[in-house]
Each structure stands twice: as C-alpha cells, then as structure tokens.
Amino acid sequence: MFDAPAELLLAVPEYKVPLPGGTTQSQNDVFALVRHADQTCATMIEGKVNEPFDKTVSEWLSIPKDGKLLRLRYICELLGLDPENPPLHLRYQLLHRSASALIEARRFKTDEAAMIVHSFSPTSMWFEDFARFANLLGASVEPDQSSTVKTKSGQRLRLGWATGNADFLAA
C-alpha cells in the first residue's frame, strides 16, 4: 500500500472520530500511525468480509435526524466534493471513514491520510462500491495497490484495497 517499507508506529482498534452535526462518532475498525520512508500517515482501516459499506448516502439521509445535512456538508467539503450536490449513490461509510482519516491527519500533523479497506472476501465483494468512491475523488484503484489524491485543502489522501489472507476466515 505504501511506496516504501512501512513501519507501524501505533494502532488503536475501534477508534472514534467526532464529526459535526450529531452525537454519533465515526467508529473506525483501526486507526494506525504508519511511517514509510520519511513520511508519516494517519490511516483508517475498515475491515470487511462480505458485508456492504452500510447505506448509500440517499438511504442514510432518508432517516431524518438533526444534523445530518450539516454533517454531510462538512464531509463533502473536507473531501472536496460539492456539498450542494452530494454523491447520493455512494456508500456513506466510505465518506465518513475517509473524512476521519483527514481529520486525524490534521490533528496529528502527518504528511498524509489514508483510508484502507482490508477485505477478507474471497470474491472482493463490494470492491465496485469502493472503486466508484475512489473515482469520484479522482483516484483509480486496483486491489492490493494504493492511489493518492490531493484534496482541495491540499491534504494527500491515500486510498487502498488490501486483500486479507483467506486462512483467517477458517475457524
């Protein structure tokens, strides 16, 4: 996923990142600080087997709650997307996990942020949703490689799909 050998500096499971517009935080499977060459990266890792990336933005918005529009606007602006025309067809989880990475990259003053999907699906289930999301941000992705985009704010965001070892699925 990184251009040089990576060194894990810190990993925190079930890491929560506050987002404006409500009381629910973005709960990431793993937050990791990673060093590669002379760069440090704030990384959010989303583990998957066969489950989807939760609801589409359209489905998420259909359940009225205070602050959802504020939250979506904030996430869109952070990712460099048009807040007046949010990507209703994309999976909301991909948006807020990537936003979490950018938020923590700012907080920890890292060189870049990353949102990595660690998929244990033997068929790469839901990769198409991830690829659509990456394409919207200007990235072209392939399994087991990463792609980096620069947000409008100047932050670098690395997106990647890591294929997990299927042996870990056997009990």
Side-chain angles (χ1 to χ4, degrees):
M1 290 292 134
F2 296 99
D3 304 328
E7 174 189 4
L8 177 63
L9 303 175
L10 172 76
V12 182
E14 302 302 326
Y15 188 81
K16 295 180 181 179
V17 176
L19 295 170
T23 57
T24 305
Q25 300 178 4
S26 178
Q27 184 165 326
N28 301 272
D29 291 337
V30 177
F31 167 63
L33 283 175
V34 178
R35 175 159 300 149
H36 57 101
D38 64 344
Q39 304 286 299
T40 305
C41 181
T43 307
M44 294 301 169
I45 301 168
E46 180 62 29
K48 293 290 181 193
V49 179
N50 292 323
E51 71 274 15
F53 295 104
D54 204 15
K55 299 173 178 74
T56 63
V57 172
S58 178
E59 292 166 337
W60 177 75
L61 284 173
S62 72
I63 302 166
K65 285 191 181 177
D66 291 341
K68 279 192 173 184
L69 292 176
L70 171 67
R71 178 171 287 197
L72 185 58
R73 178 180 226 30
Y74 173 80
I75 290 170
C76 284
E77 288 173 353
L78 194 61
L79 293 172
L81 302 173
D82 181 2
E84 301 304 320
N85 188 23
L88 299 175
H89 65 290
L90 293 181
R91 299 286 177 169
Y92 174 68
Q93 190 177 61
L94 293 168
L95 295 171
H96 73 87
R97 294 292 190 261
S98 298
S100 293
L102 292 166
I103 290 165
E104 294 305 274
R106 284 182 184 165
R107 189 163 84 97
F108 285 93
K109 298 182 184 213
T110 63
D111 300 293
E112 68 179 11
M115 198 284 286
I116 308 296
V117 175
H118 193 191
S119 173
F120 290 89
S121 170
T123 61
S124 294
M125 195 172 242
W126 306 107
F127 177 77
E128 295 80 21
D129 283 351
F130 175 72
R132 273 192 294 278
F133 167 71
N135 287 335
L136 184 68
L137 295 181
S140 177
V141 292
E142 297 292 330
D144 301 317
Q145 296 179 14
S146 66
S147 182
T148 304
V149 296
K150 192 174 251 189
T151 65
K152 287 184 180 180
S153 69
Q155 281 184 283
R156 287 192 328 255
L157 175 62
R158 183 179 298 265
L159 299 169
W161 181 279
T163 304
N165 186 332
D167 291 345
F168 290 109
L169 296 177

